[in-house]
């Protein structure tokens, strides 16, 4: 498995581990678990109050190239500024089959925090909610930017004499019709046929084709989002399509799009990064091999065992152990448990709302109010009016900016309601145990770690104080002799 290391150093934290120290632990962890380090991303001496992390963003972007399957950090708090960011970026990486691993687990991670993050991450993925976009939202709310900048407008819009973008009532119904046809399941060809039969043209005056329909169905301007140089301004335009219809169509289109080539081999082993050898604590990773009869077998093997046989853990059949973990995990999902977990997650979300940055902004706002008050007092005592008035106006502007930033900070952390979380978790009760995606989501959300012995396993869950010990009485399925194992030595039996 290929991994990259992300390290970050905040100059304002006294107990901070140095970059070199972080790297050392990460390399050690990678070596122990048989991972190949293929890259380093390092953000040095960055103050905790800013979020300027160029290397971090480069790492996220590089994820698209699918050259690595995991990001290794010294400690999970190195990965992101807060759990919301963490959940968002993790969901983003996961789309490329990439996980985040911590070299120093169980030291700073409290179980319920991990669960909350897992749930937020799952929800971010499940609802395709781009939390990071919400952060950007409002950042630059500037009404002036929502004016037409010239060039071609999307179908359904026109410009008034003051360059304001308005709904064009002649063509907006066409846009609505296109969305509705697509949502009702009609094909691109159906839509094109309909439009051409009615002599409706694109905003460039051409006949419609697949590309132009695609562009319309993907255009966020129809839900009122004005985009300019990568900045999105919600409600910057009059809306033509409802959010419900728009996002329904996005989901349908995403599903039709061919799934990207993923790091398949890694991803299909749903316990990767969670399954550990009970005897030597090293990771157990997936291997496959072909038997004499030509049947392909999949296993998890202790990496120490694979490396030098100094650990005697037997290899275990992938299907067997995964089924067992799925079965055990589903036992957690009682109505009472889901209710309890949902409440706990929402409570933690509320608690985490008061981030350092928000506290700092609120403090600045208080100072601003005090300063303004003093200026008014000075005014009353008869000091030079012009100068004071100028400074009051400055303070007022500063105050507006602070309030804006506080708004952004608060809205970037949308707290889900108990009902929303409960709804999300309830999906897991109904899921199809044979669906790979479901199995993966179940493990990702609830399972923290599994220690596997030859005769039992201990599953640690992301819910507080929750674990189960399972006796394993049948490992016979792992005793198939391999004749060839894809470049890897056949697993030893060690009976
Ligand atoms: Zn071992």
């Amino acid at each position: 498995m290929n991994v990259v290391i992300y390290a970050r150093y905040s100059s304002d934290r006294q107990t901070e581990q140095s970059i070199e120290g972080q790297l050392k632990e990460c390399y050690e962890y990678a070596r122990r678990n048989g991972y190949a380090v293929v890259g380093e991303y390092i953000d040095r001496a960055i103050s905790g109050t800013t979020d300027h992390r160029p290397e971090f963003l480069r790492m996220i972007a590089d994820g698209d190239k699918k050259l690595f399957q995991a990001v290794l950090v010294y400690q999970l708090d190195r990965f992101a500024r807060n759990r919301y960011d963490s959940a968002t970026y993790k969901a983003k990486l996961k789309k490329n089959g990439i996980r985040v691993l911590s070299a120093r687990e169980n030291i700073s991670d409290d179980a319920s925090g991990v669960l909350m993050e897992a749930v937020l991450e799952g929800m971010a993925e499940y609802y395709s909610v781009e939390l990071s976009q919400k952060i950007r939202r409002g950042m630059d709310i500037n009404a002036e930017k929502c004016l037409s900048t010239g060039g071609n407008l999307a179908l359904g819009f026109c410009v008034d004499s003051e360059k304001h973008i308005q709904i064009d009532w002649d063509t907006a119904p066409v846009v609505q019709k296109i969305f509705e046809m697509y949502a009702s399941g009609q094909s691109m060809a159906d839509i094109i046929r309909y439009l051409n039969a009615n002599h409706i043209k694109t905003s460039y005056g051409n006949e419609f084709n697949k590309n132009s329909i695609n562009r319309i169905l993907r255009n966020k301007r129809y839900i009122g989002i004005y985009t300019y140089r990568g900045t999105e301004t919600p409600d910057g335009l009059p809306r033509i399509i409802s959010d419900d219809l728009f996002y329904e169509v996005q989901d349908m289109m995403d599903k039709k799009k061919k799934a990207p080539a993923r790091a398949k081999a890694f991803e299909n082993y749903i316990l990767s990064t969670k399954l550990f050898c009970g005897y030597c604590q090293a990771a157990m990773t997936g291997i496959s091999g072909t038997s004499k009869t030509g049947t392909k077998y999949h296993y998890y093997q202790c990496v120490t065992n694979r490396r030098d046989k100094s650990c005697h853990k037997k290899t275990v059949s992938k299907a067997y152990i995964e089924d067992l973990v799925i079965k055990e995990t589903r036992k957690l999902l009682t109505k009472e448990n889901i209710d309890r977990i949902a409440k706990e997650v929402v409570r933690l979300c509320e608690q985490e709302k008061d981030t350092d940055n928000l506290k700092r902004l609120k403090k600045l706002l208080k100072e601003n109010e005090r300063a303004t008050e003093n200026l008014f007092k000075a005014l009353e005592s008869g000091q030079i009016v012009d100068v004071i008035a100028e400074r009051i106006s400055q303070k007022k502007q500063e105050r507006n900016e602070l309030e804006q930033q506080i708004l952004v900070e608060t809205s970037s952390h949308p707290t889900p309601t108990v009902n929303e979380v409960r709804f999300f978790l309830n999906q897991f009760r109904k899921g199809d145990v044979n669906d790979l995606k479901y199995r993966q989501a179940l493990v990702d959300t609830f399972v923290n770690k599994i220690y596997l012995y030859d005769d039992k396993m201990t599953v640690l869950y992301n819910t507080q104080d929750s674990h189960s010990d399972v006796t394993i009485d049948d490992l016979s399925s792992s005793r198939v002799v391999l004749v060839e194992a894809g470049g890897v030595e056949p697993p030893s039996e060690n009976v």
Side-chain angles (χ1 to χ4, degrees):
M1 185 164 96
N2 287 343
V3 303
V4 295
I5 294 173
Y6 175 69
R8 172 163 68 108
Y9 183 79
S10 312
S11 50
D12 49 2
R13 288 179 26 155
Q14 277 160 10
T15 55
E16 190 82 332
Q17 171 73 270
S18 71
I19 293 283
E20 287 63 36
Q22 294 180 35
L23 288 177
K24 191 168 161 270
E25 287 233 15
C26 287
Y27 273 103
E28 171 59 23
Y29 181 88
R31 194 197 59 76
R32 213 165 49 235
N33 290 297
Y35 304 146
V37 177
V38 296
E40 288 174 7
Y41 299 85
I42 299 164
D43 281 321
R44 275 174 204 277
I46 284 162
S47 149
T49 52
T50 65
D51 194 30
H52 183 62
R53 295 187 292 155
E55 283 288 287
F56 179 82
L57 296 174
R58 192 168 71 83
M59 180 265 292
I60 297 287
D62 281 353
D64 288 342
K65 297 177 193 158
K66 302 184 177 70
L67 299 175
F68 51 90
Q69 290 89 47
V71 175
L72 187 53
V73 290
Y74 167 67
Q75 226 166 263
L76 282 179
D77 68 354
R78 299 296 75 203
F79 179 68
R81 203 162 62 110
N82 55 49
R83 291 201 192 275
Y84 290 91
D85 272 11
S86 182
T88 309
Y89 285 118
K90 275 185 174 175
K92 208 170 219 165
L93 287 169
K94 211 197 269 168
K95 278 189 191 143
N96 291 321
I98 300 166
R99 315 285 181 77
V100 178
L101 307 175
S102 155
R104 212 165 162 248
E105 294 138 303
N106 292 340
I107 291 178
S108 68
D109 299 340
D110 57 310
S112 44
V114 171
L115 172 71
M116 171 187 138
E117 195 174 314
V119 168
L120 284 175
E121 185 185 333
M123 287 178 80
E125 208 178 18
Y126 186 80
Y127 296 110
S128 351
V129 177
E130 289 278 342
L131 293 175
S132 64
Q133 259 178 19
K134 287 192 179 159
I135 295 170
R136 236 181 301 138
R137 270 185 196 185
M139 229 58 203
D140 228 339
I141 296 184
N142 179 352
E144 280 169 14
K145 275 195 180 166
C146 298
L147 296 174
S148 166
T149 51
N152 187 272
L153 274 172
L155 190 75
F157 291 111
C158 59
V159 180
D160 68 13
S161 56
E162 282 164 327
K163 282 191 164 183
H164 288 291
I165 300 170
Q166 305 285 8
I167 290 181
D168 173 15
W169 294 105
D170 288 335
T171 53
V174 175
V175 175
Q176 256 159 355
K177 182 78 188 172
I178 293 172
F179 272 87
E180 279 159 13
M181 285 180 81
Y182 191 86
S184 72
Q186 302 198 53
S187 70
M188 288 278 186
D190 292 337
I191 299 173
I192 293 166
R193 216 171 298 126
Y194 167 85
L195 292 168
N196 290 340
N198 285 284
H199 309 291
I200 299 166
K201 298 272 195 280
T202 68
S203 55
Y204 289 95
N206 300 326
E207 289 217 325
F208 279 94
N209 59 29
K210 237 179 150 174
N211 280 339
S212 45
I213 302 284
N214 242 311
R215 260 200 305 279
I216 286 176
L217 291 174
R218 290 289 194 195
N219 197 335
K220 287 185 181 170
R221 289 190 162 197
Y222 294 129
I223 51 169
I225 296 177
Y226 181 88
T227 37
Y228 181 73
R229 292 191 180 162
T231 312
E232 294 191 346
T233 310
D235 303 323
L237 292 171
R239 152 198 301 277
I240 292 179
I241 301 295
S242 74
D243 273 353
D244 284 352
L245 179 58
F246 183 82
Y247 286 110
E248 188 190 340
V249 166
Q250 305 313 302
D251 278 355
M252 290 172 73
M253 292 176 81
D254 288 345
K255 274 183 196 137
K256 276 202 185 142
K257 220 168 64 183
K258 224 175 83 200
R262 292 186 178 195
K264 262 225 167 73
F266 170 68
E267 198 180 3
N268 288 342
Y269 288 88
I270 61 171
L271 300 180
S272 275
T273 74
K274 304 230 172 184
L275 187 65
F276 292 86
C277 170
Y279 301 107
C280 74
Q281 268 82 55
M284 293 191 70
T285 54
I287 54 157
S288 66
T290 312
S291 75
K292 277 177 188 155
T293 55
T295 317
K296 196 134 183 153
Y297 290 94
H298 298 274
Y299 297 91
Y300 285 99
Q301 183 180 25
C302 162
V303 297
T304 314
N305 177 275
R306 186 180 311 173
R307 190 168 46 223
D308 58 18
K309 303 275 178 290
S310 63
C311 175
H312 296 294
K313 174 82 197 77
K314 290 174 193 161
T315 56
V316 59
S317 147
K318 171 183 182 291
Y320 172 80
I321 194 70
E322 288 182 356
D323 282 349
L324 199 61
V325 170
I326 296 289
K327 202 174 108 203
E328 281 305 309
T329 307
R330 271 170 72 101
K331 286 186 191 164
L332 267 189
L333 303 176
T334 60
K335 269 208 152 60
E336 297 71 43
N337 265 344
I338 285 182
D339 208 52
R340 190 177 53 79
I341 295 170
K343 281 180 186 153
E344 177 68 5
V345 165
V346 172
R347 192 186 63 79
L348 279 165
C349 284
E350 291 287 351
Q351 201 176 304
E352 291 241 338
K353 247 185 173 166
D354 257 3
T355 61
D356 290 348
N357 198 29
L358 192 57
K359 279 182 195 146
R360 186 182 61 91
L361 290 168
K362 281 183 174 165
K363 194 175 151 222
L364 287 174
L365 189 65
K366 264 220 173 83
E367 281 168 13
N368 174 289
E369 280 164 6
R370 212 173 302 131
T372 310
E373 215 169 280
N374 287 339
L375 286 168
F376 272 111
K377 275 182 196 150
L379 203 59
E380 278 165 12
S381 70
Q383 294 189 35
I384 315 160
V385 176
D386 288 356
V387 179
I388 307 264
E390 165 79 26
R391 285 182 60 198
I392 287 179
S393 131
Q394 269 173 14
K395 284 286 162 198
K396 202 180 156 196
Q397 199 184 336
E398 190 184 297
R399 188 197 159 101
N400 285 342
E401 277 163 23
L402 281 171
E403 282 173 345
Q404 179 67 49
Q405 283 181 49
I406 287 174
L407 193 72
V408 169
E409 191 70 27
T410 339
S411 65
S412 69
H413 296 174
T415 306
T417 64
V418 173
N419 275 338
E420 280 168 353
V421 180
R422 202 185 286 135
F423 175 81
F424 169 72
L425 294 175
N426 265 320
Q427 304 294 309
F428 286 109
R429 301 184 67 197
K430 296 176 249 164
D432 170 10
V433 288
N434 295 314
D435 175 19
L436 179 67
K437 236 181 141 180
Y438 166 75
R439 292 162 70 94
Q440 182 77 67
L442 192 68
V443 169
D444 284 350
T445 307
F446 295 102
V447 177
N448 189 293
K449 214 172 207 184
I450 304 153
Y451 285 108
L452 184 65
Y453 302 83
D454 286 337
D455 55 351
K456 65 163 188 161
M457 70 168 178
T458 300
V459 186
L460 304 172
Y461 298 107
N462 282 332
T463 56
Q464 210 148 27
D465 302 328
S466 181
H467 75 276
S468 52
D469 290 306
V470 183
T471 309
I472 295 172
D473 47 21
D474 179 23
L475 276 179
S476 58
S477 50
S478 72
R479 294 184 190 166
V480 175
V481 180
L482 300 179
V483 291
E484 179 201 328
V488 197
E489 216 181 301
S492 88
E493 287 303 303
N494 297 316
V495 183

